[in-house]
Every structure is written in C-alpha cells, then in structure tokens.
Amino acid sequence: MATTTRRSIEHSTRVEGVGLHTGSPCAVTFQPAPAGTGIVFRRTDEASRPEIPASLHAVSSVERRTALGEPPVTIHTVEHLLAAVAALAIDDLVVELDGPEPPIGDGSFLPYLEALTAADPVETDGEASVLRIAAPFTVTEGDASYVIAPAKGLTLTVTVEWPHPLIGSQAGTFEIDADTFRA
C-alpha cells in the first residue's frame, strides 16, 4: 500500500429523487467529515439515526443491487453513489439519507458526481491508503469472473450475457488513465 493525503468535501450538498428498487422518495445529504471517519451512511428517518459504514463487512445483499446494513435499517442500491465518491477519491464523508435508498436519478453516477464536485472536494489531515496491484489474479463466483492485473490506469473489459432478447450478449471496454486507485 502506498499513501496519499485524505480527502473530504468542504461543504454539504444534496440530491433528491426516488429509489430504483424501493420506489421510495429520498434525499441524500453529503456532509464533510473529519479525517479517519471513512464513508458512513446515516439514516435520518430512523429515530436512533443509525450509522452504517460503507465497508465489505456491512454488505447484506448483492442481488441486483448492493445493500448495506441489516433490516430494518438497510440502505439499498449504493453503487452509483459510491462510484462518484470513488471517482473523486473522497475518503471521509457522512451520507445522510431520509429513506432506505438513494435516488436513482438518470440511472448513472452523474448526479452524485456533480453534487460532490459542487461541494468542493478538499484534502484533509491524515493519509489515505492506495491499493496497488502487484500481480494478476482472478476472482470467480458462480458464472461471473473478474481478472485483476497491474496497470497504469483502469481498463474494464465487460461482457454480459442474458437470455432476454432485449439484452442478449453485450461487451464494451472502458479506460481511465490514472497511476493509482484508492482502496
């Protein structure tokens, strides 16, 4: 692991809409957080205002979405929101939700990326961990496989195959030029 300066946002920002899977209206408010906080979700619609870390240990479901926490306090479909957080290399952030699922917006991570960019990402105290891949490896689960290998940037070659005639087999390659990616 290499290190680099941690990042948060300078001021709060908000995204509102309807969740994809729950259909529930929800507002997400991104709040700056002190160094070392990590990414933490806070359910403000619950009396106890429970907090759920954005960590592998908090994942409770990955069927057609990623859900964090355990019922009755679960946060559904966090992928697009967390993709924007990762794209801006934000390490410390409190994500307040007044419902069970962030809004789907236009179906991409763009509404979150725009909101977080407007909140002015800033460097904070402390060092963030940066993951560097030293040797190639493969992860397989069921009929899905992922090959991870060292590179100067991120290249994703993705193929999906569904028996539905509107989806069928699709493939694409996406590249992001960067030297490191944050863990």
Side-chain angles (χ1 to χ4, degrees):
M1 293 276 193
T3 59
T4 186
T5 306
R6 295 184 73 86
R7 290 169 46 99
S8 186
I9 56 175
E10 192 166 0
H11 54 85
S12 65
T13 188
R14 187 175 171 99
V15 175
E16 297 181 32
V18 176
L20 173 65
H21 293 284
T22 64
S24 298
C26 184
V28 172
T29 304
F30 295 105
Q31 301 283 3
T37 301
I39 310 301
V40 177
F41 289 89
R42 180 182 297 144
R43 287 283 302 271
T44 61
D45 60 321
E46 298 286 333
S48 64
R49 297 173 56 94
E51 294 186 351
I52 302 169
S55 76
L56 183 59
H57 302 294
V59 173
S60 58
S61 178
V62 291
E63 186 176 329
R64 298 184 191 236
R65 81 224 182 286
T66 301
L68 302 176
E70 294 292 334
V73 183
T74 306
I75 301 167
H76 302 270
T77 322
V78 297
E79 301 89 336
H80 298 170
L81 185 154
L82 290 176
V85 170
L88 294 172
I90 295 173
D91 302 286
D92 301 301
L93 185 69
V94 175
V95 182
E96 295 182 338
L97 295 96
D98 65 2
E101 182 179 29
I104 191 59
D106 67 358
S108 77
F109 83 134
L110 188 59
Y112 298 110
L113 185 71
E114 290 174 342
L116 288 166
T117 300
D120 298 322
V122 293
E123 292 186 351
T124 61
D125 295 329
E127 294 181 343
S129 296
V130 177
L131 178 63
R132 292 190 191 269
I133 306 301
F137 63 95
T138 302
V139 176
T140 302
E141 184 175 322
D143 60 356
S145 294
Y146 304 89
V147 177
I148 297 90
K152 287 276 184 194
L154 174 65
T155 301
L156 301 173
T157 302
V158 181
T159 303
V160 296
E161 294 181 13
W162 290 83
H164 194 282
L166 294 177
I167 300 174
S169 180
Q170 300 178 23
T173 299
F174 311 91
E175 293 185 31
I176 299 173
D177 184 28
D179 291 330
T180 58
F181 298 93
R182 293 184 129 169

